[in-house]
Amino acid sequence: MSVKPPLTELPIKTADSGFYRGFSVDVTVVSKIIIAALVVWAIVWPEWAGEVLGAWNTTILANFAAWYIWVVAFFIIVCLGLALWPTAGRMNLGVEGETPEFSNFSWFSMMFGAGIGVGMLTWAVAEPVAHFKNNPAVIQGVTTALDANNVREAYVWSFLHWGLGAWACYAVAGLALAFFSYRRGLPLTIRSSLTPLFGKALSGVLGSIIDIVAVVATILGVAQTLGFGVDQFVAGLTRIGIGGLVYGAEAVNEAGESIAGDANTVGIIVALLVIMGASTLSALSGVGKGIKWLSNINMVLSIVLLGFFIIFGATFFGATAFFVGIFDYLVALPGLSFNVWVSDGVEGSEAFKLAQWQGWWPVFYWAWWIAFAPFVGLFLARISRGRSIREFVLGAMIVPALMCFVWFSWAGGTAIDLELNGNANGLILDAGNGDKIFAMTEFMLAPIADALAWAMAVMIVVLLMTFLVTSADSAVLIVNTINAAGDEGPKARPHILFWGAALGLVVAGLLLSGGTSAIQTAMVIGALPFSVVMVLMCFGLIKAIWNDGRREKAGVATTHDNVVATPAE
């Protein structure tokens, strides 16, 4: 039987005139309605929204925890398999002979900044400290909370959450989009990656549903990042002397715990106006200008801050955490990738605590990375044209993961070392997650000079600002690209302004209705349907590469510039 050429045309109906000219009306309007409804619900009926989201979260964690754990393990296997597969590894994400548009430095800067950069400023310190206090080994009595024997366990879990699993989610989405858009010439949108499975049927309603799911997941995934960022941004503003943006020390939550340091309503509004205003202006300038320059700036500032922790922080402690942590992580990875703890329903029991902890940490993170995947994946595809599949996978998985490990080792390691051996006496442990990095740097520098501590806080606020703006403006551009049937060209200003405002309102609404936990719940829910799409993307990509190998042997063209006919895949 003869080998057919690949599908290189996928018509997507867009409006020819009017306000939505160049956009898929179905995808754009339905996406806007869903997001607008969520915003109105969260802002007008915050208590009801909080209760419903909480109930849904309980249901999902009870029934889909195993799905989230296993599906991310599947993504790791697929990515590494494609890199090792000779036929796949050498294929160019573009036409034959095409070279990358961006230098390696700019490529890594944009990839790291948009993908995970902002999370480093919160979680590089907060997460190792959190796991130092509690993790499954502590729950099972194997190690002791806040003891030196618990440091290695703290890093196993920190590296698990920010390592290969996180970047495999991004790589799957980015690889599929780049392959079908730049090799096949199909629209740069999520539906194109499923053409080997559904063919031209994706031109219609099925394709629109897939793109709508991607848009909603993107908004909720980025909202999660911005939600954490808002709290930390306000904490930073407070540290540098701008007061009145956090709850007073007397404020407590329903559990009776102090919430001092969390952003109040004024703080949320101020932070979002600054962040979303700057990001919308940057989005109007496009990827090659505002986003590229912001990414390079925050990469330089990141190196300066990281250098401070490596040189003046716990240098040897951090180095030990890095190398020993990677060893422990790689040894534990196969088991942790498939392990699922099941609650026995008895509150306070070991099984209950383990299942609850897994829902708080691994399941939450896997949902976060999946919800973030259409955004980061499409962005990775946009900046990775002309690279080989092997180069893309290794570059998008291993290098950023190692950068995360470096941050966690020296920033988080410095915090743990100060608590263990540096007389911090709970100063860092007791600070809010977003405030921990400020508390730590102030503890380190204030004895030398208050001005130095203040200057460091200012630098961290600026770095946080550039990371948040990079993430938000990239998300706005990517959502508009999906809505415009994959068109990467300039978008009408009203649509950029709408999605910039919508993203800010989603964050504000969910924060006001239930704090970051409400955003977390909405994101976990939004990620579920897109996780199914991502599994289909894997199968579609594998099928396409397999068929391209057969085509090459038969002398049939595999890239859009050489294909004349356009039959189904």
Side-chain angles (χ1 to χ4, degrees), residues 28 152 159 161 183 247 266 272 398 427 441:
T28 307
R152 292 178 67 170
F159 286 5
H161 298 151
R183 281 185 67 87
Y247 289 107
V266 174
L272 285 173
I398 296 177
L427 183 70
T441 53

Side-chain angles (χ1 to χ4, degrees), residues 145 220 300 352 411 509:
L220 294 177
V300 171
F352 179 89

Side-chain angles (χ1 to χ4, degrees), residues 268-406:
I268 291 170
I269 293 172
V270 169
L272 285 173
L273 284 175
V274 173
I275 293 165
M276 298 312 303
S279 65
T280 302
L281 290 174
S282 177
L284 291 170
S285 69
V287 174
K289 296 180 182 178
I291 296 175
K292 177 182 176 180
W293 282 105
L294 280 172
S295 297
N296 288 340
I297 290 170
N298 61 36
M299 179 59 79
V300 171
L301 291 177
S302 296
I303 292 171
V304 172
L305 180 60
L306 181 59
F308 168 77
F309 290 129
I310 293 175
I311 297 171
F312 300 105
T315 305
F316 180 74
F317 188 100
T320 303
F322 180 74
F323 291 107
V324 175
I326 289 177
F327 173 80
D328 289 343
Y329 162 64
L330 293 176
V331 170
L333 181 61
L336 296 182
S337 295
F338 295 95
N339 179 61
V340 178
W341 281 297
V342 180
S343 174
D344 58 6
V346 180
E347 188 168 352
S349 69
E350 181 177 298
F352 179 89
K353 290 179 179 178
L354 288 171
Q356 185 181 55
W357 190 93
Q358 189 168 51
W360 284 344
W361 290 99
V363 173
F364 157 67
Y365 269 123
W366 295 164
W368 190 5
W369 305 149
I370 289 169
F372 223 45
F375 153 54
V376 181
L378 203 151
F379 189 73
L380 285 181
R382 169 65 184 83
I383 64 176
S384 302
R385 183 170 184 163
R387 297 183 183 272
S388 70
I389 288 179
R390 182 173 293 114
E391 182 183 14
F392 177 92
V393 169
L394 296 180
M397 280 184 66
I398 296 177
V399 174
L402 287 174
M403 281 299 299
C404 291
F405 296 165
V406 168

Side-chain angles (χ1 to χ4, degrees), residues 168-248:
C169 294
Y170 299 159
V172 161
L175 189 56
L177 287 163
F179 184 93
F180 290 102
S181 295
Y182 302 136
R183 281 185 67 87
R184 296 288 194 261
L186 299 176
L188 184 61
T189 186
I190 304 300
R191 72 176 80 185
S192 296
S193 61
L194 303 185
T195 50
L197 304 179
F198 302 108
K200 289 190 175 181
L202 292 165
S203 291
V205 175
L206 177 61
S208 295
I209 292 173
I210 290 167
D211 283 345
I212 290 166
V213 167
V215 169
V216 173
T218 298
I219 293 296
L220 294 177
V222 177
Q224 178 69 68
T225 298
L226 294 179
F228 286 134
V230 163
D231 267 348
Q232 187 166 35
F233 187 66
V234 170
L237 292 178
T238 303
R239 288 278 178 177
I240 63 178
I242 302 175
L245 303 181
V246 298
Y247 289 107

